[in-house]
């Protein structure tokens, strides 16, 4: 299914429905019930996290430029402090690893679907002198909940990745999260939400890596942590992540962000002890969608290399420093390699996230 969606997006195919009419009818009552419960609380407006991070590393080297695009998850809706947003967490972590200041600009829009990426990319690329060094895109949940055709969703994403790569920016895509983890969603809607989310995430992976981007599966990243502490890892509206939830997602994205900039050790050597293997790209994308924290990146066509990368604990959250450049505060292909990142924090055991 992911291969069909990606092909339809690439070659202009029509809509590929992920839910049949019969299934949609059966699930209608469940959808209405979930709508009354999800978002029952009030999520605060995302705080602006734009600015400079890691000012202690100021030196002769120019600051790295980080751009964030996507929906409310990328914007950080659900938390009240700028330092708790995923953009601030990633910028702080990137500054610590690179030992260089990082200028963050976040143009993500709460409620955005993939068709809003064209506008967001245009904002980031408006000034050629300030093209980001690397961009993170987190998108897909609203595409599913608003029943946006999957082919259109993937086509918009791949176009955005291509524009950013053409401009010289590296791109990391956090694929569609597993909506089956949302607490008020009951069976059978929970099973269907998980299936649709994973199919879209796999198709996003195929389309993104073909354009030279890397992807990290957000999937059911909260996994056991969410099951044990749903009130802690989800915000007051029971839909958007809390500060702890955003930190969990940022820890999965940070190693890929560092690797794409050459700041993280990489090797193409397969390690059998870590269950590394080669798969066709479509199978690699499907595997990544099933296992949260899995990275997929270009290697040698048409295969995918599966690897595991350990996550590191994020540095203490910091607030952005005012940036001297006013433009910072404007409107806010080959084959693939897959890296699965087990563990959290500084844990070096081979357990999965």
């Amino acid at each position: 299914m992911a291969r069909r969606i990606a092909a339809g997006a690439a070659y202009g195919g029509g809509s590929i429905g992920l839910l049949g009419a019969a299934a949609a009818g059966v699930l209608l009552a469940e959808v209405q019930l979930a709508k009354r419960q999800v978002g029952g609380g009030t999520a605060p407006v995302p705080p602006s996290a734009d600015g400079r991070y890691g000012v202690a590393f100021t030196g002769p080297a120019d600051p790295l430029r980080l751009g964030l695009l996507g929906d409310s998850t990328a914007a950080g809706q659900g938390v009240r402090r700028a330092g708790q947003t995923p953009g601030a967490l990633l910028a702080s972590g990137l500054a610590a690893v690179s030992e260089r200041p990082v200028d963050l600009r976040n143009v993500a829009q709460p409620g955005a679907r993939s068709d809003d990426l064209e506008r967001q990319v245009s904002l980031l690329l408006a000034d050629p002198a300030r093209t980001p060094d690397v961009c993170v895109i987190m998108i897909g949940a609203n595409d599913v909940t608003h029943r946006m055709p999957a082919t259109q969703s993937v086509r918009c994403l791949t176009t955005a990745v291509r524009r950013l790569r053409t401009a010289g920016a590296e791109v990391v895509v956090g694929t569609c999260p597993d909506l089956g983890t949302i607490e008020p969603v009951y069976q059978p809607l929970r099973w269907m939400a998980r299936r649709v989310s994973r199919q879209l995430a796999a198709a996003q992976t195929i389309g993104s890596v073909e354009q030279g981007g890397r992807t990290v599966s957000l999937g059911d990243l909260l996994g056991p942590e969410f099951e044990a502490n749903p009130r802690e890892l989800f915000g007051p509206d029971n839909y958007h992540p809390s500060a702890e939830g955003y930190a969990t997602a940022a820890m999965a994205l940070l190693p890929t962000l560092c690797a794409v900039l050459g700041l993280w050790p990489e090797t193409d050597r397969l390690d059998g002890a870590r269950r590394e293997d080669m798969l066709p790209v479509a199978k690699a994308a499907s595997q990544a969608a099933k296992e949260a924290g899995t990275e997929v990146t270009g290697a040698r066509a048409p295969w995918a290399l599966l690897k595991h990368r350990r996550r590191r604990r994020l540095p203490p959250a910091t607030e952005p420093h005012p940036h001297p450049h006013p433009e910072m505060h404007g409107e806010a292909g080959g084959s693939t390699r897959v890296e699965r990142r087990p563990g959290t924090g500084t844990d070096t055991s081979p357990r999965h996230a």
Side-chain angles (χ1 to χ4, degrees):
M1 176 61 76
R3 190 186 299 112
R4 289 176 57 199
I5 294 171
Y11 300 108
S15 171
I16 296 177
L18 298 179
L19 292 176
V26 170
L27 298 174
L28 181 58
E30 290 287 348
V31 170
Q32 297 306 317
L33 178 61
K35 282 182 177 180
R36 287 196 294 268
Q37 297 187 58
V38 174
T42 301
V45 175
S48 174
D50 286 10
R52 178 162 293 178
Y53 294 79
V55 292
F57 299 114
T58 300
D62 292 334
L64 291 170
R65 294 187 292 271
L66 169 63
L68 240 70
L69 310 87
D71 53 24
S72 56
T73 304
Q77 188 163 15
V79 297
R80 299 183 182 280
R81 292 176 47 204
Q84 297 172 326
T85 63
L89 294 169
L90 290 172
S92 297
L94 185 57
V97 174
S98 65
E99 297 187 346
R100 292 171 60 182
V102 174
D103 290 340
L104 170 67
R105 186 177 182 198
N106 193 333
V107 296
Q109 178 66 42
R113 294 174 292 183
S114 293
D115 54 5
D116 189 54
L117 290 176
E118 180 179 4
R119 180 190 65 85
Q120 296 182 26
V121 171
S122 296
L123 286 175
L124 280 182
L125 301 182
D127 183 358
R130 304 296 301 170
T131 299
D133 296 297
V134 62
C135 292
V136 175
I137 303 175
M138 302 168 71
I139 199 79
N142 293 317
D143 296 12
V144 173
T145 59
H146 289 78
R147 295 183 295 177
M148 184 177 185
T151 49
Q152 180 185 357
S153 174
V154 175
R155 186 181 301 119
C156 291
L157 175 61
T158 54
T159 299
V161 174
R162 181 169 59 251
R163 289 183 62 192
L164 292 169
R165 294 289 293 129
T166 300
E170 301 290 348
V171 180
V172 176
V173 177
T175 57
C176 181
D178 183 355
L179 298 182
T181 62
I182 299 175
E183 188 181 27
V185 177
Y186 304 108
Q187 299 291 10
L189 183 58
R190 180 186 294 270
W191 174 85
M192 190 62 69
R194 170 164 292 136
R195 179 185 179 189
V196 173
S197 301
R198 288 181 176 179
Q199 288 176 345
L200 179 57
Q204 287 177 321
T205 295
I206 296 173
S208 296
V209 298
E210 287 179 348
Q211 301 301 325
R214 302 192 185 198
T215 65
V216 176
S217 169
L218 298 183
D220 57 348
L221 188 62
L222 303 181
E225 291 93 343
F226 167 69
E227 293 179 3
N229 303 291
R231 298 303 180 190
E232 179 182 356
L233 288 170
F234 269 60
D237 62 353
N238 296 333
Y239 186 80
H240 296 98
S242 65
E244 291 79 6
Y246 280 128
T248 301
M251 279 194 296
L253 289 164
L254 180 60
T256 301
L257 198 61
C258 295
V260 79
L261 291 172
L263 304 172
W264 208 268
E266 292 193 285
T267 176
D268 288 340
R269 183 176 63 85
L270 294 174
D271 186 348
R274 295 175 63 83
R275 305 185 320 281
E276 296 179 345
D277 200 356
M278 298 286 288
L279 289 176
V281 58
K283 286 190 175 181
S286 177
Q287 181 66 28
K290 294 176 182 177
E291 187 171 346
T294 304
E295 177 188 307
V296 183
T297 188
R300 296 183 297 274
W303 299 93
L305 175 63
L306 280 73
K307 296 187 68 176
H308 305 273
R309 192 196 301 275
R310 296 185 181 95
R311 299 202 294 266
R312 304 291 181 179
R313 187 171 300 281
L314 293 167
T318 60
E319 299 298 318
H321 286 260
H323 193 276
H325 298 286
E327 63 267 26
M328 278 291 296
H329 300 285
E331 296 181 59
S335 70
T336 56
R337 178 172 63 223
V338 177
E339 302 181 6
R340 289 180 241 170
R341 301 189 181 78
T344 59
T346 55
D347 181 14
T348 58
S349 65
R351 69 181 179 86
H352 292 294

